[in-house]
Amino acid sequence: MNDWTIEGHICSKHARRRMQQRGIKMETVEFVLRHGDRQEYVGRDTSSIYLSKKMIGRLSRSKMIRPSAIEKASKIVVLLAEEMIVT
């Protein structure tokens, strides 16, 4: 399988496997990386990125993004380590 790149980040084999197991599409991970406004250090050069409740509300009120896309992305936390998506 070729390297996947999402929003400029290489997606590890582990992350690809987890996405497939959980039915998470690349577009959803891309959405979180693009709109995620919360980032927290979780250890070993790894950070989590996700949408805050405030951002979810803002995106919902904008009416520019499908509610289903916001709902899916609101349940996802992306872990990045050195610019690589790890899970």
Side-chain angles (χ1 to χ4, degrees), residues 72-85:
K72 288 176 187 174
S74 71
K75 298 174 184 173
I76 303 296
V77 175
V78 178
L79 294 181
L80 291 176
E82 298 178 13
E83 301 303 313
M84 177 179 278
I85 299 169

Side-chain angles (χ1 to χ4, degrees), residues 27-83:
E27 294 81 18
T28 305
V29 174
E30 187 175 68
F31 187 95
V32 172
L33 292 173
R34 190 175 296 151
H35 297 286
D37 61 328
R38 299 288 295 160
Q39 184 168 352
E40 295 180 15
Y41 176 74
V42 295
R44 292 191 164 190
D45 298 326
T46 304
S47 296
S48 63
I49 299 175
Y50 58 95
L51 301 171
S52 68
K53 289 181 182 180
K54 188 180 222 178
M55 178 58 79
I56 292 166
R58 189 177 299 148
L59 292 168
S60 295
R61 286 188 300 275
S62 76
K63 305 278 187 197
M64 298 186 73
I65 300 170
R66 291 185 333 258
S68 62
I70 297 169
E71 181 183 353
K72 288 176 187 174
S74 71
K75 298 174 184 173
I76 303 296
V77 175
V78 178
L79 294 181
L80 291 176
E82 298 178 13
E83 301 303 313

